[in-house]
């Protein structure tokens, strides 16, 4: 299964390298001394991937998005009964109409296709440079994902929250709402009144970024 994660981290000229190092102990393929086998949650990940452009979608006018979906229903747009990942328009001859409608409602969208359906999604196995999957943190506070992760100034994960956790039998829901905003609130709660040296190591600065990743487990 593919899931979305949001990584909060300091700015870097090698964003992918920082993330790879931080996530390495949580790889399902890792057997090294630093691995965390009981907490492993990924066997593959890429920046953006299936979730490329999610930061843009998070910022869409929700009333306009609702109106778009209502128009799809009005036009009786249909999707395939089989679903693996995003829904697929079926029959495919609906695609040009849906894409044109999307551009009518969202003319500033950078792509040529509606990103809500399979045909408009990027390659889930590669980083999509056309989409801003690395954005200023302050613009992404309400971004929502299955997992949110905070990497400190030393490149280590110091906070990680998930909307559900594997308990050995099934995925158990948690109280985490999946937003970066809630991750940062939990981080502030943990910092509390600790000394500045400790707090500053894990308290985001104005230039920190949020990175969307697609991880498979």
């Amino acid at each position: 299964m593919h899931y979305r994660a949001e990584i909060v981290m300091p700015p870097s000229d090698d964003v992918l390298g920082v993330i790879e190092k931080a996530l390495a102990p949580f790889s399902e393929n890792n057997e090294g001394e630093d691995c965390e086998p009981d907490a492993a949650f990924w066997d593959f990940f890429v920046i953006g991937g299936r979730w490329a452009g999610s930061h843009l979608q998070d910022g869409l006018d929700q009333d306009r998005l609702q109106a778009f979906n209502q128009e799809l229903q009005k036009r009786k747009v249909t999707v395939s009964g089989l679903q693996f990942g995003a829904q697929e328009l079926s029959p495919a001859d609906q695609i040009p109409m849906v894409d044109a409608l999307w551009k009518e409602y969202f003319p500033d969208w950078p792509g040529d296709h509606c990103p809500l359906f399979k045909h408009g999604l990027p390659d889930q196995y590669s980083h999509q440079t056309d989409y801003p999957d690395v954005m200023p943190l302050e613009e992404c506070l309400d971004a929502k994902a299955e997992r949110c992760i905070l990497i400190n100034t030393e490149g280590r994960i110091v906070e990680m929250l998930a909307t559900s956790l594997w308990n050995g039998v099934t995925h158990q829901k948690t109280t985490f709402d999946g937003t970066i905003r809630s991750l940062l609130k939990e981080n502030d709660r943990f910092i509390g009144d600790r000394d500045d040296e400790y707090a500053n190591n894990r308290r985001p600065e104005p230039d920190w970024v949020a990175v969307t990743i697609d991880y498979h487990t």
Side-chain angles (χ1 to χ4, degrees):
M1 295 287 289
H2 284 256
Y3 297 94
R4 176 183 174 184
E6 286 292 331
I7 310 288
V8 175
M9 59 178 285
S12 172
D13 293 332
D14 184 16
V15 170
L16 179 59
V18 172
I19 295 175
E20 286 178 335
K21 185 176 181 180
L23 292 189
F26 302 92
S27 170
E28 296 172 350
N29 305 313
N30 190 6
E31 298 179 354
E33 293 182 358
D34 296 330
C35 69
E36 301 285 351
D38 294 335
F41 67 89
W42 67 273
D43 59 21
F44 165 84
F45 77 85
V46 64
I47 293 177
R50 178 177 291 183
W51 313 112
S54 291
H55 284 157
L56 291 178
Q57 292 186 49
D58 293 336
L60 292 177
D61 183 299
Q62 295 304 300
D63 291 337
R64 187 174 289 271
L65 184 59
Q66 182 178 1
F68 171 79
N69 286 320
Q70 289 174 344
E71 184 63 26
L72 293 184
Q73 295 177 24
K74 181 179 178 180
R75 300 191 186 196
K76 299 182 179 180
V77 171
T78 55
V79 296
S80 172
L82 297 176
Q83 184 175 352
F84 179 74
Q87 289 183 316
E88 182 174 6
L89 292 173
S90 179
D93 60 10
Q94 302 173 105
I95 290 176
M97 178 271 289
V98 170
D99 286 345
L101 187 65
W102 177 260
K103 293 300 289 186
E104 178 183 332
Y105 276 79
F106 300 100
D108 295 330
W109 183 258
D112 295 325
H113 305 291
C114 173
L116 305 183
F117 298 99
K118 190 173 182 179
H119 77 279
L121 294 175
D123 179 3
Q124 64 193 33
Y125 299 110
S126 65
H127 174 39
Q128 306 298 312
T129 57
D130 292 339
Y131 291 103
D133 296 314
V134 181
M135 286 184 64
L137 174 59
E138 63 179 10
E139 298 180 22
C140 304
L141 294 178
D142 293 318
K144 193 170 185 179
E146 282 80 16
R147 192 177 293 260
C148 290
I149 300 167
L150 176 63
I151 296 177
N152 70 1
T153 56
E154 298 174 352
R156 294 190 301 106
I157 293 178
V158 292
E159 192 73 64
M160 177 160 54
L161 299 176
T163 56
S164 67
L165 296 173
W166 179 254
N167 62 17
V169 178
T170 186
H171 283 279
Q172 181 177 344
K173 293 292 184 181
T174 70
T175 59
F176 177 51
D177 68 2
T179 65
I180 288 178
R181 190 181 299 275
S182 292
L183 172 80
L184 299 183
K185 285 183 178 179
E186 179 61 22
N187 182 58
D188 286 341
R189 185 198 66 79
F190 184 83
I191 290 174
D193 57 358
R194 300 185 185 222
D195 63 79
D196 289 343
E197 182 178 357
Y198 177 88
N200 292 339
N201 186 39
R202 59 184 292 163
R203 179 177 288 132
E205 297 291 338
D207 63 343
W208 282 35
V209 297
V211 185
T212 299
I213 70 167
D214 170 356
Y215 71 92
H216 180 271
T217 187

